[in-house]
Amino acid sequence: QPPMPRPAQSPQERAAAQFKPLIVIDAGHGGEDGGATKFGTLEKNVVLSFSLKLREKLNETGRYKVLMTRETDVFVPLEARRDFAERNQAALFIAIHADYVARPTARGATIYSLRPQLSDVMSQAAKGAVKENVLSTKQTAQIKKAGGDVNAVRDMLADLARMDVERKRERTSVLVQSVLNFMGNTTNMMENPDRGAAFVVLKTSTVPSILLELGYLTSVEDAQQLRSDQWRDKVSGSLVTAIDTYFSNHVTRLPM
């Protein structure tokens, strides 16, 4: 008996099947900015090697579009990296770095996201900026002509802008937890690895973003891992699993 034909997909189902979230990978430093160096390991080189491996594994899934802020040994300003993700409407921004401290016993990976206090400030700033500047003279005139309340419209749009920032913060928290859960199975993590920071590349109100310190160049063991193809393959694979898990969370399917 011939197999039953598959039912035709609806336009919505076809669109969902074709949609691929865009992930921006930001390999830190580059060009004249070599980053940290220790034990013969130069940060800009090892983070680029890791980022290229992560891109390869993400592309292999067929589930994502992947862009990189740099693919070669070039310098990219910090603000340009962040703007690149926003301009391309990225679903995720992942910055890759390696750490350096004077204390040689420090080891392990660390995940940084935007400090909650700074996120709160950005939320209020977004609300204020939209309320002040969102409506053009023409739009204001059209609202008045239709009998609408211009101030009420401004307030509504400002609240939507604030909600966007809060959704981004919630998604970032989901991503951090997913990376902690899966990356921790493949490499050593720093004590209290979930940390807040005010790094320039994380100061975006639109893109869920993390900065991942893969390990410490000042640790002989970490430096050796960072140069290892086998380690890169294993850890980048765990990050892909973390990203898959992140996108399976209902929070990530809500509109931004």
Side-chain angles (χ1 to χ4, degrees):
Q1 184 177 1
M4 293 291 291
R6 296 177 61 185
Q9 286 184 312
S10 69
Q12 293 83 0
E13 289 172 329
R14 286 197 299 272
Q18 293 170 357
F19 173 72
K20 294 181 179 181
L22 174 63
I23 300 172
V24 171
I25 303 173
D26 176 35
H29 307 282
E32 62 268 30
D33 177 14
T37 181
K38 189 74 173 178
F39 301 122
T41 306
L42 184 59
E43 182 178 3
K44 70 172 182 177
N45 293 338
V46 293
V47 299
L48 179 59
S49 295
F50 185 90
S51 297
L52 291 169
K53 174 58 70 173
L54 178 58
R55 179 180 68 174
E56 175 188 320
K57 285 188 171 291
L58 286 168
N59 283 333
E60 284 174 353
T61 70
R63 290 187 288 272
Y64 308 105
K65 295 179 181 178
V66 186
L67 295 177
M68 295 182 63
T69 56
R70 71 177 183 98
E71 303 176 35
T72 57
D73 185 18
V74 295
F75 174 75
V76 182
L78 295 176
E79 292 83 358
R81 298 168 188 256
R82 180 190 62 207
D83 294 347
F84 178 79
E86 292 182 345
R87 187 169 64 252
N88 284 284
Q89 298 181 312
L92 283 184
F93 177 88
I94 302 175
I96 306 294
H97 285 256
D99 226 331
Y100 187 104
V101 289
R103 182 164 53 95
T105 56
R107 284 201 67 192
T110 313
I111 305 170
Y112 288 95
S113 55
L114 197 64
R115 285 178 183 151
Q117 299 92 327
L118 184 54
S119 183
D120 288 338
V121 171
M122 290 179 66
S123 177
Q124 292 303 315
K127 181 177 179 178
V130 170
K131 188 173 182 180
E132 290 297 322
N133 304 315
V134 71
L135 296 175
S136 67
T137 302
K138 182 179 179 180
Q139 289 169 326
T140 300
Q142 289 173 334
I143 292 170
K144 290 180 178 178
K145 185 177 180 180
D149 184 333
V150 173
N151 288 329
V153 173
R154 284 199 178 103
D155 287 341
M156 179 183 68
L157 293 173
D159 283 338
L160 289 173
R162 176 185 53 77
M163 289 170 61
D164 284 345
V165 175
E166 291 176 355
R167 286 194 193 102
K168 175 256 180 181
R169 179 167 57 186
E170 185 177 8
R171 292 183 184 198
T172 299
S173 178
V174 171
L175 176 62
V176 168
Q177 291 307 310
S178 186
V179 172
L180 284 172
N181 289 341
F182 291 98
M183 189 173 172
N185 293 329
T186 57
T187 191
N188 51 304
M189 305 294 290
M190 184 63 176
E191 184 180 357
N192 301 318
D194 179 4
R195 302 190 179 190
F199 297 130
V200 171
V201 292
L202 298 178
K203 294 179 182 178
T204 167
S205 62
T206 60
V207 185
S209 307
I210 60 170
L211 187 147
L212 180 58
E213 298 277 7
L214 296 172
Y216 283 85
L217 293 174
T218 42
S219 161
V220 175
E221 296 88 350
D222 280 7
Q224 184 177 9
Q225 286 182 162
L226 289 165
R227 296 192 301 267
S228 165
D229 290 336
Q230 182 179 5
W231 180 87
R232 280 194 288 265
D233 185 74
K234 178 177 64 173
V235 177
S236 61
S238 71
L239 278 178
V240 172
T241 304
I243 291 167
D244 286 342
T245 303
Y246 165 80
F247 280 110
S248 72
N249 190 293
H250 75 280
V251 168
T252 66
R253 292 192 288 270
L254 297 172
M256 284 287 280

